[in-house]
Amino acid sequence: MDKIERVLWATSGITLIQIMVGFYLSQIANPANSEILILHISLGVLLFIMSILSYVYTKNIIRLAHLAIVNILLIVITGIIGSGFIILKTNSFYSTYIPYLHMLLAIGIISNYAVMLGIKRTINSVDK
């Protein structure tokens, strides 16, 4: 396993943990005042850094570089939407419907990393 695959696996794992923490936050009464929110935000920042790192490692492989850029954008959009939960915490429309969009974007992020890993493994098997 080379460094690209390690980064893709690590980022997929962080994304999975991030989704589980986010689900937990959606189940508690007041997530904006929870210490777990700090973990969720920290994991989001780490995920953003790892997504930039995945782009840096894959920029020579065009297909992977394009997917890495899409993931960076998805993470930024998801982070902006997530910030709305803190900023607009009293808005019932936002807190009722936007979590579904937030979750769908998170699923998109992890599925893109799975596709990237599959492409990388395919490239490795063709090169051998």
Short mmCIF file of all heavy atoms in Angstrom, two decimals, residues 6-72:
data_model
loop_
_atom_site.label_atom_id
_atom_site.label_comp_id
_atom_site.label_asym_id
_atom_site.label_seq_id
_atom_site.Cartn_x
_atom_site.Cartn_y
_atom_site.Cartn_z
N ARG A 6 -2.85 4.99 1.53
CA ARG A 6 -2.93 5.24 2.98
C ARG A 6 -3.74 6.49 3.28
O ARG A 6 -4.57 6.50 4.19
CB ARG A 6 -1.54 5.33 3.59
CG ARG A 6 -0.91 3.98 3.83
CD ARG A 6 0.33 4.13 4.67
NE ARG A 6 1.34 4.87 3.92
CZ ARG A 6 2.46 4.35 3.47
NH1 ARG A 6 2.73 3.10 3.69
NH2 ARG A 6 3.31 5.08 2.79
N VAL A 7 -3.49 7.55 2.52
CA VAL A 7 -4.24 8.80 2.73
C VAL A 7 -5.72 8.60 2.40
O VAL A 7 -6.59 9.09 3.13
CB VAL A 7 -3.63 9.96 1.89
CG1 VAL A 7 -4.55 11.16 1.85
CG2 VAL A 7 -2.29 10.36 2.44
N LEU A 8 -6.00 7.88 1.33
CA LEU A 8 -7.40 7.64 0.96
C LEU A 8 -8.12 6.80 2.01
O LEU A 8 -9.27 7.07 2.36
CB LEU A 8 -7.48 6.99 -0.42
CG LEU A 8 -7.01 7.86 -1.60
CD1 LEU A 8 -7.03 7.06 -2.89
CD2 LEU A 8 -7.84 9.12 -1.72
N TRP A 9 -7.45 5.77 2.53
CA TRP A 9 -8.04 4.96 3.59
C TRP A 9 -8.25 5.78 4.85
O TRP A 9 -9.30 5.69 5.50
CB TRP A 9 -7.17 3.74 3.91
CG TRP A 9 -7.43 2.56 3.04
CD1 TRP A 9 -6.60 2.06 2.08
CD2 TRP A 9 -8.58 1.73 3.04
NE1 TRP A 9 -7.17 0.97 1.48
CE2 TRP A 9 -8.40 0.74 2.04
CE3 TRP A 9 -9.76 1.72 3.76
CZ2 TRP A 9 -9.34 -0.24 1.78
CZ3 TRP A 9 -10.70 0.74 3.49
CH2 TRP A 9 -10.48 -0.22 2.51
N ALA A 10 -7.24 6.57 5.22
CA ALA A 10 -7.35 7.38 6.44
C ALA A 10 -8.48 8.40 6.31
O ALA A 10 -9.26 8.60 7.25
CB ALA A 10 -6.02 8.09 6.71
N THR A 11 -8.58 9.03 5.16
CA THR A 11 -9.62 10.03 4.96
C THR A 11 -11.00 9.38 4.96
O THR A 11 -11.95 9.94 5.51
CB THR A 11 -9.39 10.79 3.64
OG1 THR A 11 -8.04 11.25 3.62
CG2 THR A 11 -10.29 11.99 3.54
N SER A 12 -11.12 8.20 4.39
CA SER A 12 -12.39 7.47 4.44
C SER A 12 -12.77 7.13 5.87
O SER A 12 -13.93 7.26 6.27
CB SER A 12 -12.31 6.19 3.61
OG SER A 12 -12.10 6.48 2.27
N GLY A 13 -11.79 6.70 6.65
CA GLY A 13 -12.04 6.38 8.06
C GLY A 13 -12.46 7.60 8.86
O GLY A 13 -13.40 7.53 9.66
N ILE A 14 -11.79 8.72 8.64
CA ILE A 14 -12.15 9.96 9.33
C ILE A 14 -13.56 10.38 8.94
O ILE A 14 -14.35 10.82 9.78
CB ILE A 14 -11.13 11.07 9.03
CG1 ILE A 14 -9.77 10.73 9.64
CG2 ILE A 14 -11.61 12.42 9.54
CD1 ILE A 14 -8.64 11.61 9.16
N THR A 15 -13.89 10.23 7.66
CA THR A 15 -15.23 10.59 7.20
C THR A 15 -16.28 9.71 7.86
O THR A 15 -17.34 10.20 8.29
CB THR A 15 -15.33 10.47 5.67
OG1 THR A 15 -14.32 11.26 5.07
CG2 THR A 15 -16.69 10.93 5.17
N LEU A 16 -16.02 8.42 7.99
CA LEU A 16 -16.96 7.51 8.65
C LEU A 16 -17.15 7.90 10.12
O LEU A 16 -18.29 7.96 10.61
CB LEU A 16 -16.47 6.07 8.54
CG LEU A 16 -17.40 5.02 9.14
CD1 LEU A 16 -18.74 5.01 8.42
CD2 LEU A 16 -16.74 3.66 9.07
N ILE A 17 -16.07 8.19 10.81
CA ILE A 17 -16.17 8.62 12.21
C ILE A 17 -16.94 9.94 12.29
O ILE A 17 -17.79 10.12 13.17
CB ILE A 17 -14.77 8.75 12.84
CG1 ILE A 17 -14.13 7.37 12.96
CG2 ILE A 17 -14.85 9.43 14.20
CD1 ILE A 17 -12.65 7.40 13.30
N GLN A 18 -16.68 10.84 11.36
CA GLN A 18 -17.36 12.13 11.31
C GLN A 18 -18.87 11.93 11.14
O GLN A 18 -19.67 12.60 11.79
CB GLN A 18 -16.78 12.97 10.17
CG GLN A 18 -17.37 14.33 9.99
CD GLN A 18 -16.94 15.31 11.04
OE1 GLN A 18 -16.75 14.98 12.21
NE2 GLN A 18 -16.80 16.54 10.65
N ILE A 19 -19.26 11.02 10.26
CA ILE A 19 -20.69 10.74 10.04
C ILE A 19 -21.32 10.17 11.32
O ILE A 19 -22.43 10.56 11.70
CB ILE A 19 -20.88 9.78 8.85
CG1 ILE A 19 -20.54 10.51 7.54
CG2 ILE A 19 -22.30 9.23 8.80
CD1 ILE A 19 -20.48 9.61 6.32
N MET A 20 -20.62 9.28 12.00
CA MET A 20 -21.17 8.69 13.23
C MET A 20 -21.31 9.74 14.33
O MET A 20 -22.31 9.76 15.04
CB MET A 20 -20.30 7.52 13.69
CG MET A 20 -20.38 6.34 12.76
SD MET A 20 -19.55 4.83 13.31
CE MET A 20 -17.96 5.37 13.80
N VAL A 21 -20.31 10.61 14.46
CA VAL A 21 -20.39 11.68 15.46
C VAL A 21 -21.54 12.63 15.11
O VAL A 21 -22.29 13.07 15.99
CB VAL A 21 -19.04 12.43 15.57
CG1 VAL A 21 -19.16 13.68 16.41
CG2 VAL A 21 -17.97 11.51 16.13
N GLY A 22 -21.67 12.96 13.83
CA GLY A 22 -22.77 13.82 13.41
C GLY A 22 -24.13 13.20 13.69
O GLY A 22 -25.07 13.88 14.10
N PHE A 23 -24.25 11.90 13.46
CA PHE A 23 -25.50 11.21 13.78
C PHE A 23 -25.80 11.30 15.27
O PHE A 23 -26.93 11.56 15.67
CB PHE A 23 -25.47 9.75 13.33
CG PHE A 23 -26.72 9.01 13.68
CD1 PHE A 23 -27.88 9.21 12.96
CD2 PHE A 23 -26.74 8.13 14.75
CE1 PHE A 23 -29.06 8.54 13.29
CE2 PHE A 23 -27.90 7.46 15.08
CZ PHE A 23 -29.06 7.66 14.36
N TYR A 24 -24.77 11.09 16.09
CA TYR A 24 -24.96 11.22 17.53
C TYR A 24 -25.45 12.62 17.88
O TYR A 24 -26.37 12.78 18.67
CB TYR A 24 -23.67 10.90 18.28
CG TYR A 24 -23.78 11.18 19.76
CD1 TYR A 24 -24.47 10.31 20.59
CD2 TYR A 24 -23.24 12.33 20.31
CE1 TYR A 24 -24.60 10.58 21.94
CE2 TYR A 24 -23.37 12.62 21.66
CZ TYR A 24 -24.05 11.73 22.47
OH TYR A 24 -24.20 12.00 23.80
N LEU A 25 -24.84 13.64 17.27
CA LEU A 25 -25.26 15.02 17.54
C LEU A 25 -26.71 15.25 17.15
O LEU A 25 -27.42 16.03 17.78
CB LEU A 25 -24.36 16.00 16.81
CG LEU A 25 -22.98 16.25 17.43
CD1 LEU A 25 -22.11 17.06 16.48
CD2 LEU A 25 -23.11 16.94 18.77
N SER A 26 -27.16 14.58 16.10
CA SER A 26 -28.55 14.76 15.67
C SER A 26 -29.54 14.11 16.63
O SER A 26 -30.73 14.41 16.57
CB SER A 26 -28.74 14.20 14.26
OG SER A 26 -28.74 12.79 14.28
N GLN A 27 -29.07 13.25 17.51
CA GLN A 27 -29.96 12.53 18.41
C GLN A 27 -30.07 13.15 19.79
O GLN A 27 -30.95 12.78 20.55
CB GLN A 27 -29.48 11.08 18.56
CG GLN A 27 -29.43 10.31 17.25
CD GLN A 27 -30.77 10.27 16.56
OE1 GLN A 27 -31.77 9.86 17.14
NE2 GLN A 27 -30.81 10.73 15.32
N ILE A 28 -29.18 14.09 20.13
CA ILE A 28 -29.23 14.67 21.48
C ILE A 28 -30.06 15.95 21.46
O ILE A 28 -30.27 16.57 20.41
CB ILE A 28 -27.81 14.92 22.05
CG1 ILE A 28 -27.01 15.89 21.19
CG2 ILE A 28 -27.07 13.60 22.19
CD1 ILE A 28 -25.65 16.22 21.76
N ALA A 29 -30.50 16.36 22.64
CA ALA A 29 -31.45 17.47 22.75
C ALA A 29 -30.86 18.81 22.33
O ALA A 29 -31.49 19.56 21.60
CB ALA A 29 -31.97 17.55 24.18
N ASN A 30 -29.65 19.12 22.77
CA ASN A 30 -29.08 20.43 22.47
C ASN A 30 -27.65 20.25 21.94
O ASN A 30 -26.68 20.44 22.67
CB ASN A 30 -29.10 21.30 23.72
CG ASN A 30 -28.88 22.76 23.40
OD1 ASN A 30 -28.65 23.12 22.24
ND2 ASN A 30 -28.95 23.59 24.42
N PRO A 31 -27.50 19.92 20.66
CA PRO A 31 -26.17 19.64 20.13
C PRO A 31 -25.25 20.85 20.08
O PRO A 31 -24.04 20.71 20.14
CB PRO A 31 -26.45 19.11 18.72
CG PRO A 31 -27.80 19.60 18.38
CD PRO A 31 -28.54 19.74 19.67
N ALA A 32 -25.80 22.06 20.01
CA ALA A 32 -24.96 23.26 19.93
C ALA A 32 -24.19 23.49 21.23
O ALA A 32 -23.16 24.16 21.23
CB ALA A 32 -25.80 24.48 19.59
N ASN A 33 -24.67 22.95 22.35
CA ASN A 33 -23.99 23.13 23.63
C ASN A 33 -23.24 21.88 24.07
O ASN A 33 -22.82 21.78 25.22
CB ASN A 33 -24.99 23.53 24.71
CG ASN A 33 -25.56 24.91 24.46
OD1 ASN A 33 -24.91 25.74 23.82
ND2 ASN A 33 -26.77 25.16 24.92
N SER A 34 -23.05 20.93 23.18
CA SER A 34 -22.40 19.67 23.52
C SER A 34 -20.89 19.76 23.25
O SER A 34 -20.45 20.40 22.30
CB SER A 34 -23.00 18.55 22.68
OG SER A 34 -22.28 17.37 22.85
N GLU A 35 -20.13 19.09 24.11
CA GLU A 35 -18.68 19.01 23.88
C GLU A 35 -18.37 18.17 22.64
O GLU A 35 -17.31 18.32 22.03
CB GLU A 35 -17.96 18.41 25.10
CG GLU A 35 -17.95 19.30 26.31
CD GLU A 35 -19.18 19.12 27.18
OE1 GLU A 35 -19.82 18.05 27.11
OE2 GLU A 35 -19.51 20.05 27.93
N ILE A 36 -19.28 17.30 22.29
CA ILE A 36 -19.10 16.45 21.11
C ILE A 36 -19.05 17.30 19.84
O ILE A 36 -18.42 16.93 18.86
CB ILE A 36 -20.22 15.39 21.03
CG1 ILE A 36 -20.23 14.52 22.28
CG2 ILE A 36 -20.09 14.53 19.80
CD1 ILE A 36 -18.97 13.70 22.49
N LEU A 37 -19.70 18.46 19.87
CA LEU A 37 -19.67 19.37 18.71
C LEU A 37 -18.24 19.82 18.42
O LEU A 37 -17.86 19.95 17.25
CB LEU A 37 -20.58 20.57 18.94
CG LEU A 37 -20.68 21.57 17.79
CD1 LEU A 37 -21.25 20.90 16.55
CD2 LEU A 37 -21.52 22.76 18.19
N ILE A 38 -17.45 20.01 19.46
CA ILE A 38 -16.05 20.40 19.27
C ILE A 38 -15.30 19.28 18.55
O ILE A 38 -14.50 19.53 17.65
CB ILE A 38 -15.39 20.74 20.63
CG1 ILE A 38 -16.07 21.97 21.23
CG2 ILE A 38 -13.89 20.97 20.47
CD1 ILE A 38 -15.71 22.25 22.66
N LEU A 39 -15.58 18.03 18.92
CA LEU A 39 -14.98 16.88 18.23
C LEU A 39 -15.41 16.86 16.76
O LEU A 39 -14.59 16.65 15.87
CB LEU A 39 -15.38 15.58 18.92
CG LEU A 39 -14.96 14.28 18.22
CD1 LEU A 39 -13.44 14.17 18.18
CD2 LEU A 39 -15.59 13.09 18.90
N HIS A 40 -16.69 17.11 16.51
CA HIS A 40 -17.22 17.11 15.15
C HIS A 40 -16.55 18.20 14.30
O HIS A 40 -16.16 17.95 13.16
CB HIS A 40 -18.74 17.32 15.20
CG HIS A 40 -19.45 17.02 13.93
ND1 HIS A 40 -19.45 15.80 13.32
CD2 HIS A 40 -20.22 17.82 13.14
CE1 HIS A 40 -20.18 15.84 12.22
NE2 HIS A 40 -20.66 17.07 12.07
N ILE A 41 -16.39 19.37 14.86
CA ILE A 41 -15.73 20.47 14.15
C ILE A 41 -14.26 20.15 13.93
O ILE A 41 -13.73 20.37 12.83
CB ILE A 41 -15.92 21.80 14.91
CG1 ILE A 41 -17.40 22.22 14.89
CG2 ILE A 41 -15.05 22.89 14.32
CD1 ILE A 41 -17.73 23.34 15.84
N SER A 42 -13.60 19.60 14.93
CA SER A 42 -12.18 19.24 14.80
C SER A 42 -11.97 18.18 13.73
O SER A 42 -11.03 18.26 12.94
CB SER A 42 -11.63 18.75 16.14
OG SER A 42 -11.77 19.74 17.12
N LEU A 43 -12.84 17.19 13.72
CA LEU A 43 -12.74 16.16 12.69
C LEU A 43 -12.99 16.75 11.30
O LEU A 43 -12.37 16.33 10.32
CB LEU A 43 -13.73 15.03 12.96
CG LEU A 43 -13.36 14.06 14.07
CD1 LEU A 43 -14.52 13.11 14.36
CD2 LEU A 43 -12.11 13.29 13.74
N GLY A 44 -13.90 17.72 11.22
CA GLY A 44 -14.15 18.39 9.94
C GLY A 44 -12.93 19.13 9.44
O GLY A 44 -12.60 19.08 8.24
N VAL A 45 -12.24 19.83 10.34
CA VAL A 45 -11.00 20.53 9.96
C VAL A 45 -9.93 19.52 9.54
O VAL A 45 -9.25 19.72 8.53
CB VAL A 45 -10.51 21.43 11.12
CG1 VAL A 45 -9.13 21.97 10.85
CG2 VAL A 45 -11.50 22.56 11.37
N LEU A 46 -9.80 18.43 10.29
CA LEU A 46 -8.84 17.38 9.93
C LEU A 46 -9.20 16.77 8.57
O LEU A 46 -8.31 16.53 7.75
CB LEU A 46 -8.82 16.30 11.01
CG LEU A 46 -7.89 15.11 10.76
CD1 LEU A 46 -6.43 15.58 10.65
CD2 LEU A 46 -8.05 14.08 11.85
N LEU A 47 -10.47 16.57 8.34
CA LEU A 47 -10.92 16.03 7.05
C LEU A 47 -10.58 16.98 5.91
O LEU A 47 -10.15 16.55 4.84
CB LEU A 47 -12.43 15.78 7.11
CG LEU A 47 -13.07 15.04 5.96
CD1 LEU A 47 -12.44 13.68 5.78
CD2 LEU A 47 -14.56 14.90 6.22
N PHE A 48 -10.74 18.27 6.14
CA PHE A 48 -10.38 19.26 5.12
C PHE A 48 -8.88 19.22 4.82
O PHE A 48 -8.47 19.21 3.66
CB PHE A 48 -10.81 20.65 5.58
CG PHE A 48 -10.48 21.74 4.61
CD1 PHE A 48 -11.13 21.81 3.39
CD2 PHE A 48 -9.52 22.69 4.90
CE1 PHE A 48 -10.83 22.82 2.48
CE2 PHE A 48 -9.21 23.69 4.01
CZ PHE A 48 -9.87 23.76 2.79
N ILE A 49 -8.07 19.13 5.86
CA ILE A 49 -6.61 19.06 5.68
C ILE A 49 -6.24 17.78 4.93
O ILE A 49 -5.42 17.80 4.01
CB ILE A 49 -5.89 19.14 7.05
CG1 ILE A 49 -6.07 20.55 7.64
CG2 ILE A 49 -4.42 18.79 6.91
CD1 ILE A 49 -5.67 20.66 9.09
N MET A 50 -6.86 16.66 5.31
CA MET A 50 -6.58 15.39 4.63
C MET A 50 -7.03 15.42 3.17
O MET A 50 -6.39 14.82 2.31
CB MET A 50 -7.27 14.23 5.36
CG MET A 50 -6.72 13.94 6.74
SD MET A 50 -5.05 13.30 6.72
CE MET A 50 -5.34 11.68 6.06
N SER A 51 -8.12 16.14 2.88
CA SER A 51 -8.57 16.22 1.49
C SER A 51 -7.59 17.04 0.65
O SER A 51 -7.35 16.70 -0.52
CB SER A 51 -9.98 16.82 1.41
OG SER A 51 -9.98 18.18 1.77
N ILE A 52 -7.02 18.06 1.23
CA ILE A 52 -5.98 18.82 0.52
C ILE A 52 -4.76 17.95 0.30
O ILE A 52 -4.16 17.95 -0.78
CB ILE A 52 -5.63 20.12 1.28
CG1 ILE A 52 -6.82 21.08 1.24
CG2 ILE A 52 -4.39 20.78 0.70
CD1 ILE A 52 -6.66 22.29 2.12
N LEU A 53 -4.41 17.18 1.31
CA LEU A 53 -3.28 16.26 1.20
C LEU A 53 -3.54 15.20 0.12
O LEU A 53 -2.64 14.87 -0.65
CB LEU A 53 -3.02 15.58 2.55
CG LEU A 53 -1.77 14.74 2.69
CD1 LEU A 53 -0.53 15.60 2.49
CD2 LEU A 53 -1.74 14.09 4.05
N SER A 54 -4.78 14.72 0.04
CA SER A 54 -5.09 13.74 -1.01
C SER A 54 -4.96 14.36 -2.39
O SER A 54 -4.54 13.70 -3.33
CB SER A 54 -6.48 13.14 -0.80
OG SER A 54 -7.49 14.06 -1.09
N TYR A 55 -5.31 15.63 -2.52
CA TYR A 55 -5.11 16.30 -3.82
C TYR A 55 -3.63 16.43 -4.13
O TYR A 55 -3.20 16.17 -5.26
CB TYR A 55 -5.78 17.68 -3.85
CG TYR A 55 -5.40 18.44 -5.09
CD1 TYR A 55 -5.94 18.09 -6.32
CD2 TYR A 55 -4.48 19.47 -5.05
CE1 TYR A 55 -5.57 18.75 -7.48
CE2 TYR A 55 -4.09 20.14 -6.20
CZ TYR A 55 -4.66 19.78 -7.41
OH TYR A 55 -4.27 20.43 -8.55
N VAL A 56 -2.84 16.83 -3.15
CA VAL A 56 -1.39 17.00 -3.37
C VAL A 56 -0.76 15.69 -3.82
O VAL A 56 0.06 15.67 -4.74
CB VAL A 56 -0.71 17.55 -2.09
CG1 VAL A 56 0.80 17.49 -2.20
CG2 VAL A 56 -1.17 18.97 -1.81
N TYR A 57 -1.18 14.58 -3.20
CA TYR A 57 -0.61 13.28 -3.57
C TYR A 57 -1.11 12.77 -4.92
O TYR A 57 -0.44 11.98 -5.56
CB TYR A 57 -0.92 12.24 -2.50
CG TYR A 57 -0.07 12.37 -1.25
CD1 TYR A 57 -0.41 11.69 -0.10
CD2 TYR A 57 1.06 13.17 -1.21
CE1 TYR A 57 0.35 11.79 1.06
CE2 TYR A 57 1.82 13.27 -0.07
CZ TYR A 57 1.46 12.59 1.05
OH TYR A 57 2.22 12.69 2.18
N THR A 58 -2.30 13.19 -5.33
CA THR A 58 -2.88 12.63 -6.56
C THR A 58 -2.89 13.61 -7.72
O THR A 58 -3.47 13.29 -8.76
CB THR A 58 -4.34 12.18 -6.31
OG1 THR A 58 -5.12 13.31 -5.93
CG2 THR A 58 -4.39 11.09 -5.26
N LYS A 59 -2.25 14.75 -7.59
CA LYS A 59 -2.35 15.76 -8.66
C LYS A 59 -1.73 15.30 -9.98
O LYS A 59 -2.05 15.85 -11.02
CB LYS A 59 -1.76 17.09 -8.21
CG LYS A 59 -0.29 17.08 -7.94
CD LYS A 59 0.14 18.44 -7.44
CE LYS A 59 1.60 18.39 -7.02
NZ LYS A 59 2.01 19.64 -6.40
N ASN A 60 -0.88 14.28 -9.97
CA ASN A 60 -0.29 13.76 -11.21
C ASN A 60 -1.19 12.73 -11.90
O ASN A 60 -0.92 12.34 -13.02
CB ASN A 60 1.08 13.14 -10.93
CG ASN A 60 2.06 14.19 -10.45
OD1 ASN A 60 1.98 15.36 -10.81
ND2 ASN A 60 2.98 13.77 -9.60
N ILE A 61 -2.22 12.27 -11.21
CA ILE A 61 -3.17 11.32 -11.78
C ILE A 61 -4.47 12.09 -12.00
O ILE A 61 -5.21 12.36 -11.05
CB ILE A 61 -3.38 10.11 -10.84
CG1 ILE A 61 -2.05 9.48 -10.47
CG2 ILE A 61 -4.31 9.09 -11.48
CD1 ILE A 61 -2.13 8.46 -9.35
N ILE A 62 -4.75 12.44 -13.23
CA ILE A 62 -5.82 13.39 -13.55
C ILE A 62 -7.17 12.98 -12.97
O ILE A 62 -7.87 13.79 -12.35
CB ILE A 62 -5.93 13.57 -15.09
CG1 ILE A 62 -4.61 14.10 -15.67
CG2 ILE A 62 -7.09 14.48 -15.46
CD1 ILE A 62 -4.21 15.45 -15.15
N ARG A 63 -7.56 11.72 -13.15
CA ARG A 63 -8.87 11.28 -12.65
C ARG A 63 -8.98 11.43 -11.14
O ARG A 63 -10.01 11.88 -10.63
CB ARG A 63 -9.13 9.82 -13.04
CG ARG A 63 -9.36 9.63 -14.52
CD ARG A 63 -9.55 8.18 -14.85
NE ARG A 63 -8.24 7.53 -14.76
CZ ARG A 63 -8.03 6.26 -15.00
NH1 ARG A 63 -9.04 5.48 -15.30
NH2 ARG A 63 -6.83 5.76 -14.93
N LEU A 64 -7.93 11.06 -10.44
CA LEU A 64 -7.95 11.18 -8.98
C LEU A 64 -7.88 12.63 -8.54
O LEU A 64 -8.52 13.01 -7.56
CB LEU A 64 -6.80 10.39 -8.38
CG LEU A 64 -6.87 8.87 -8.53
CD1 LEU A 64 -5.66 8.22 -7.89
CD2 LEU A 64 -8.14 8.33 -7.93
N ALA A 65 -7.13 13.45 -9.26
CA ALA A 65 -7.03 14.87 -8.91
C ALA A 65 -8.38 15.56 -9.04
O ALA A 65 -8.75 16.37 -8.17
CB ALA A 65 -5.98 15.55 -9.79
N HIS A 66 -9.13 15.24 -10.08
CA HIS A 66 -10.46 15.84 -10.25
C HIS A 66 -11.39 15.43 -9.11
O HIS A 66 -12.12 16.27 -8.57
CB HIS A 66 -11.06 15.44 -11.59
CG HIS A 66 -10.39 16.10 -12.75
ND1 HIS A 66 -10.68 15.78 -14.05
CD2 HIS A 66 -9.45 17.08 -12.83
CE1 HIS A 66 -9.95 16.51 -14.86
NE2 HIS A 66 -9.18 17.30 -14.13
N LEU A 67 -11.37 14.17 -8.74
CA LEU A 67 -12.20 13.71 -7.62
C LEU A 67 -11.75 14.34 -6.30
O LEU A 67 -12.59 14.66 -5.45
CB LEU A 67 -12.18 12.19 -7.52
CG LEU A 67 -13.02 11.45 -8.55
CD1 LEU A 67 -12.73 9.96 -8.50
CD2 LEU A 67 -14.49 11.71 -8.32
N ALA A 68 -10.45 14.54 -6.14
CA ALA A 68 -9.95 15.17 -4.92
C ALA A 68 -10.43 16.62 -4.83
O ALA A 68 -10.81 17.09 -3.75
CB ALA A 68 -8.43 15.11 -4.88
N ILE A 69 -10.46 17.32 -5.96
CA ILE A 69 -10.96 18.70 -5.96
C ILE A 69 -12.46 18.71 -5.62
O ILE A 69 -12.91 19.56 -4.85
CB ILE A 69 -10.69 19.38 -7.32
CG1 ILE A 69 -9.19 19.63 -7.47
CG2 ILE A 69 -11.46 20.67 -7.46
CD1 ILE A 69 -8.77 20.07 -8.86
N VAL A 70 -13.20 17.77 -6.18
CA VAL A 70 -14.63 17.69 -5.87
C VAL A 70 -14.82 17.43 -4.37
O VAL A 70 -15.70 18.03 -3.74
CB VAL A 70 -15.30 16.58 -6.71
CG1 VAL A 70 -16.71 16.27 -6.20
CG2 VAL A 70 -15.35 17.00 -8.17
N ASN A 71 -13.99 16.57 -3.79
CA ASN A 71 -14.11 16.31 -2.36
C ASN A 71 -13.79 17.54 -1.53
O ASN A 71 -14.44 17.78 -0.52
CB ASN A 71 -13.22 15.14 -1.96
CG ASN A 71 -13.90 13.82 -2.17
OD1 ASN A 71 -15.10 13.75 -2.35
ND2 ASN A 71 -13.14 12.76 -2.16
N ILE A 72 -12.78 18.29 -1.93
CA ILE A 72 -12.46 19.53 -1.21
C ILE A 72 -13.68 20.45 -1.23
O ILE A 72 -14.06 21.01 -0.19
CB ILE A 72 -11.21 20.22 -1.81
CG1 ILE A 72 -9.96 19.40 -1.53
CG2 ILE A 72 -11.06 21.63 -1.26
CD1 ILE A 72 -8.73 19.86 -2.28
#
